[in-house]
Amino acid sequence: MAEMHIQHQEDHNHIPNNPNHIPNNPNHNPNPTHYTHYRFPGKVPHHHVHNMDKATPSRFRPNAPKREHCICITVFLLLLGIILLILWLAYHPSKPRFTVASAAVYGLNATTPPLISISMQFNVVIRNPNRRVSIYFDRLSAYVSYRNQPITPHVMLPPLFLDKHSAVSLSPEIGGVPVPVSEEVTNGLVMDESYGVVGVKLVLYGRLRWKAGDINSAHYGLYVKCDVLMGLKKGIMGQVPLLGSPVCDVNT
C-alpha cells in the first residue's frame, strides 16, 4: 500500500512532455538559462582558493605593477633633474664684460644749433669669463649719448665670436654726421669743453647667444652702458685722457 502511494506521488509531480502543458507555478520558467550560485561560509579547499583568485576582478587585485611603474618614473625624473642641475651649475653662462681702454676725439662742432657734429673713437675690450661656454654676438650697434640724448648716429658693428675664456678688442669710430639735439645739450657740451672735463656715455646694444659644445642657446638681448669721463679742452683733438676707470653696466 505504501509503495503504491509513493508511486502515485511521483506520477503527480511528473511534468508531462506535452508542450501545451502550463505549470501551476506562474513564476516557473520551463527553459531556465541563468543560474545563481551561493557560496556558504566555511573552509575552502586550496585549489578552490587558487581558482577564486584568478576569477577575482582586476579592481580587487593589488596594483603592484602600476605602483612599480610609478616608482620607476619618479626615480627617472629625479635623476634627470639632478643631471640638469649639475649641467646648469657647470655650464651656467656669465655675462660678457666690457671695458673702455681709451678714447679719442677727432671733431666737435656745436656752433650750429640745433645740430651737433662730433667724431669719436673708443677702444673697447670685450671679455668672455666663461671657461666652458662660447659667445656669439650676432648683432651689435653703438652710439654716444650726452645727458641721455644721442649725439652721434647709430653705427652697426661686425658680428663677433668669443671663444671660451677669451677677449677681443674693438675700435669703432662713431659720429661725423650732424645730429639734432636740444639746446640744453649744446650749451652743456660747450660749457664742459671750456672746463676741460666732458662726460659721455657709450652705448652698445644687440643680440647674443651662448654655445656649449654642440648646443646653442636662444638669442638674448644685450644692452651695455659705459660712463666715460674724458679730459677734453677746446681745440685739442686726437687721443684724450680718461679720468678714472670707465664703468660698463651689462644687461642681458
Side-chain angles (χ1 to χ4, degrees):
M1 190 68 182
E3 293 177 357
M4 292 177 63
H5 177 72
I6 293 172
Q7 182 66 30
H8 177 73
Q9 183 68 25
E10 291 176 353
D11 294 339
H12 180 74
N13 294 331
H14 176 70
I15 299 175
N17 293 327
N18 187 2
N20 297 324
H21 175 76
I22 299 176
N24 294 328
N25 186 0
N27 297 322
H28 177 72
N29 186 2
N31 297 316
T33 56
H34 300 281
Y35 299 91
T36 304
H37 298 275
Y38 296 93
R39 186 177 295 171
F40 297 94
K43 187 174 181 180
V44 182
H46 178 72
H47 66 281
H48 287 176
V49 173
H50 181 70
N51 294 333
M52 289 166 57
D53 290 340
K54 288 184 177 180
T56 303
S58 59
R59 65 176 179 272
F60 297 108
R61 294 179 185 173
N63 295 325
K66 184 182 293 186
R67 185 163 52 249
E68 292 177 358
H69 186 64
C70 294
I71 292 174
C72 292
I73 293 178
T74 303
V75 172
F76 173 75
L77 293 177
L78 181 61
L79 293 176
L80 182 62
I82 294 174
I83 293 173
L84 291 177
L85 178 61
I86 293 174
L87 292 176
W88 184 84
L89 293 175
Y91 291 95
H92 179 59
S94 299
K95 298 177 182 179
R97 298 171 184 172
F98 289 74
T99 304
V100 178
S102 63
V105 178
Y106 297 110
L108 174 59
N109 184 6
T111 58
T112 56
L115 299 177
I116 186 174
S117 177
I118 185 171
S119 179
M120 307 180 71
Q121 187 175 21
F122 296 91
N123 184 15
V124 182
V125 179
I126 308 175
R127 292 182 175 87
N128 178 12
N130 302 284
R131 296 184 178 274
R132 298 182 178 88
V133 180
S134 303
I135 302 178
Y136 285 90
F137 295 90
D138 295 327
R139 190 173 64 192
L140 197 61
S141 301
Y143 69 93
V144 179
S145 69
Y146 176 83
R147 295 189 180 183
N148 295 324
Q149 293 187 36
I151 58 176
T152 65
H154 295 226
V155 177
M156 291 290 297
L157 304 180
L160 296 177
F161 169 73
L162 269 71
D163 204 356
K164 307 168 187 175
H165 204 254
S166 63
V168 65
S169 177
L170 293 178
S171 298
E173 186 172 348
I174 309 173
V177 178
V179 176
V181 295
S182 65
E183 186 177 353
E184 177 186 0
V185 169
T186 303
N187 295 335
L189 274 174
V190 172
M191 186 177 297
D192 291 345
E193 190 180 16
S194 64
Y195 288 146
V197 178
V198 178
V200 296
K201 183 175 294 183
L202 174 63
V203 180
L204 299 102
Y205 64 96
R207 297 201 309 171
L208 63 79
R209 55 189 169 93
W210 286 279
K211 182 179 181 181
D214 295 331
I215 302 175
N216 286 297
S217 72
H219 285 92
Y220 292 87
L222 175 70
Y223 190 76
V224 183
K225 297 180 295 183
C226 301
D227 292 321
V228 182
L229 191 62
M230 304 177 297
L232 177 62
K233 290 185 178 181
K234 187 174 182 180
I236 298 179
M237 297 297 167
Q239 196 83 16
V240 294
L242 298 179
L243 306 179
S245 299
V247 179
C248 295
D249 184 20
V250 181
N251 294 315
T252 57

